[in-house]
Amino acid sequence: MKSVAVLPGDGIGPEVTSAALDVVEKLGLPLDLRFGEIGWECWRREGDPVPERTWKLLEETDTCLLGAITSKPLREAEEELPAELRGTGRTFVSPVIQLRQRLSLYANVRPVVDLVDGRFDFTVIRENTEGLYAGFDVRGVDDALWNVVRDHPNALASGPDATSVTLRLQTEFGMDRLLRYGFAYARSRGYTRLTLVDKPNVLRNSSDHLRERLELVAGAYPDIETEILNVDAVALWMVRRPERFGVLVAENMFGDILSDLGAGVMGGLGLAPSGNIGDHGSYFEPVHGSAPGMAGQGRANPMAMMLAVAQLLDHLDLSVPGDELRAAVRTVAARRTTVTYDMGGTSGTREVAQAVAGELAASGGEPSRREDVVDRFARLDTASVSDALDSLGVGGVLAGIAPRVPGARAAGRAFTVTYQPVDTAEKGFRNAANYLDDVPEGSFVVVDNAGSTTCTNWGSLLTRLAQRRGIRGTALHGSARDIAEIRAAGYPLFSTGATMVSGKNRVELAATGRDVLIGDVTVRPGDIVVADDNGALVVPAEHAAEVAERAERVERTEAAIAEAVGAGLRLDEARRRFGYARPWGDGGARPSRA
């Protein structure tokens, strides 16, 4: 039995904490959850955001799950104290800072993972206790500091009283323990590269000191490649080629900036978890703030909290259920049918939690069953899938069907629908779209109206219903309307054309569940439809596993070639080395982590 102090905090903290714990309950883990208080309400009632009873709880438990905490400037904090505590010298100090300092939590661990497409998986490890955030920040300098800065022309022009100085503290004790943690973390998770992020071309002395410590510690980890990069270059490559990184280690301020950039790269703060870890203490939390203006609305994204719980489980040596929870979150995020507003959806906090819990239940707790082949296709590019189909001599491109929602991508099993025209002289509503009530969750609707663009077979109302029913997307061999509304909803729609003319009095439902011919490609019920900005294609169900495997190898091979070329290798040599001509054969690149 492992004990966990649960501190929901304030703002949206209690909501995302409760939703995440409801999901964790499905795992049936040996956890003793002990709830405590922390945050703004404690300050307002007691003048202490971390009461002594909370410190005692932290001492008695193995780790901590923290929700979110509101912080306000000193003046506003003073004004919200009870009248009897104002003017008594109490100062609001962020509970996060208090936890990190008192528990000596020197490593801030921020995984950055592409939950939707699986293109990158790296971790930023930020030093928590020194660097530019060590607290040596003064306005008006004494004689000792003045002797250090007085020769700078701006300081000389301003004088000591009008000069501010911030010192970057780096100690061998602090650097060594962070680097050792970074290497151990990389080895334990299969990463083969550790990147030290600093600014050695400007901060020459302190960066050289850090380099010396890196070279010393790295000697114990010959299996892990090391490099030192400028922080500005890393920021660029995190955006352009995040897949090149494994573990990034940085001093306090650089790590702070890069870890939030990482959250942006993975899709926003609603997806970003973090852990704060020391030799004898730890806590785990979502990166997002308390968002007090959103509290009580049930709109907050609980995924970051769920991923923080997965980190916590890893820390407690419960990595298998941690992986199961991550996989369930990834499936829901990739499907994008049950996501919150920040991911382009309309679902609430509890709905997302229920969707993740449903994925856990479907997996049965067995990692081998956790990921359906459809979910593998949801992370693949249609170009790679097309290459894989070509290698098997199978056609699959749904010619003429184009994306209507930029950036939308989806995969699902085909639910086929066939329309037929009616005599327009016979007026009357044909109930042509009522089939949608019977479409199973997770399906990809394929509608055949013979490619006609004279009237529509899809619009905003059907889109809303499809999203509520968990339908993954629509491929329309015909025309759609309400494109602006569908784009705003982020629904994956692909069609031959777009027009405003309604089809409700012009076509009628001919059949569902029959083979559909689009161009020279037949779509059968249960085949897998994959669609993105390139267009849409269909993978015959009997070839699905083989096509997914080959497409994954194509993407791994092309990623390896891109990295090799980026490192200076000639394109022809990189293609030869990684088996570009036949990536699905023995010569193709094998799976690897940076």
Side-chain angles (χ1 to χ4, degrees), residues 103-330:
L103 301 178
S104 191
L105 308 180
Y106 59 85
N108 180 262
V109 182
R110 297 274 293 268
V112 182
V113 180
D114 184 354
L115 296 174
V116 176
D117 301 319
R119 294 183 302 114
F120 54 82
D121 179 353
F122 64 95
T123 300
V124 178
I125 299 178
R126 160 194 170 191
E127 205 288 321
N128 251 353
T129 64
E130 50 183 41
L132 275 167
Y133 290 175
F136 301 108
D137 180 61
V138 296
R139 177 179 176 182
V141 298
D142 59 16
D143 290 343
L145 278 177
W146 182 245
N147 288 333
V148 175
V149 304
R150 65 186 303 168
D151 291 335
H152 192 285
N154 294 355
L156 189 61
S158 301
D161 292 338
T163 298
S164 302
V165 173
T166 300
L167 299 179
R168 178 166 102 145
L169 177 70
Q170 293 196 159
T171 67
E172 291 187 1
F173 172 78
M175 288 185 285
D176 287 0
R177 69 179 179 178
L178 181 74
L179 290 167
R180 284 194 297 268
Y181 182 88
F183 277 108
Y185 182 95
R187 177 177 284 176
S188 69
R189 286 159 178 78
Y191 292 106
T192 59
R193 175 184 295 152
L194 183 144
T195 303
L196 180 61
V197 184
D198 211 61
K199 193 66 175 174
N201 61 334
V202 176
L203 304 173
R204 291 186 173 86
N205 291 310
S206 60
S207 289
D208 189 59
H209 193 191
L210 185 53
R211 177 180 181 177
E212 289 176 1
R213 305 318 298 174
L214 173 68
E215 292 170 347
L216 178 66
V217 175
Y221 299 89
D223 52 316
I224 298 175
E225 175 190 351
T226 61
E227 62 181 355
I228 304 174
L229 295 180
N230 282 330
V231 61
D232 45 348
V234 171
L236 170 67
W237 288 113
M238 278 178 65
V239 174
R240 295 294 301 276
R241 285 183 55 208
E243 69 277 1
R244 79 172 301 281
F245 294 116
V247 171
L248 295 162
V249 176
E251 69 93 46
N252 211 331
M253 188 181 77
F254 292 159
D256 184 16
I257 295 168
L258 290 179
S259 56
D260 270 11
L261 174 59
V265 169
M266 71 184 295
L269 293 177
L271 298 173
S274 74
N276 292 271
I277 299 170
D279 293 332
H280 305 290
S282 59
Y283 76 85
F284 299 84
E285 64 177 340
V287 173
H288 60 69
S290 62
M294 201 197 309
Q297 298 179 22
R299 299 175 59 229
N301 190 344
M303 288 184 174
M305 176 57 92
M306 294 175 190
L307 295 172
V309 171
Q311 269 188 279
L312 180 149
L313 296 178
D314 291 342
H315 184 70
L316 295 178
D317 294 326
L318 295 168
S319 57
V320 170
D323 285 343
E324 291 172 3
L325 179 55
R326 265 185 291 267
V329 172
R330 171 175 283 181

Side-chain angles (χ1 to χ4, degrees), residues 384 387-393 546 549-558 561 572 574-590:
S384 305
D387 284 352
L389 285 169
D390 284 348
S391 73
L392 295 172
E546 177 68 10
E549 174 64 27
R550 293 191 175 210
E552 287 165 350
R553 290 196 178 191
V554 168
E555 293 197 356
R556 290 196 296 264
T557 298
E558 292 187 350
I561 292 170
D572 56 355
R575 284 179 164 174
R576 183 196 64 77
R577 180 177 300 182
F578 292 104
Y580 178 74
R582 191 177 171 79
W584 43 81
D586 293 338
R590 292 289 182 254

Side-chain angles (χ1 to χ4, degrees), residues 299 336-348 351-352 467 488-491:
R299 299 175 59 229
R336 288 189 177 274
T337 55
T338 312
V339 293
T340 46
Y341 75 98
D342 55 310
M343 297 178 65
T346 58
S347 300
E351 292 174 275
V352 174
Q467 288 181 315
Y491 181 75

Side-chain angles (χ1 to χ4, degrees), residues 2 11 96 119 158 223 382 417 429 559:
K2 301 288 186 178
V96 167
R119 294 183 302 114
S158 301
D223 52 316
T382 52
V417 179
F429 179 45

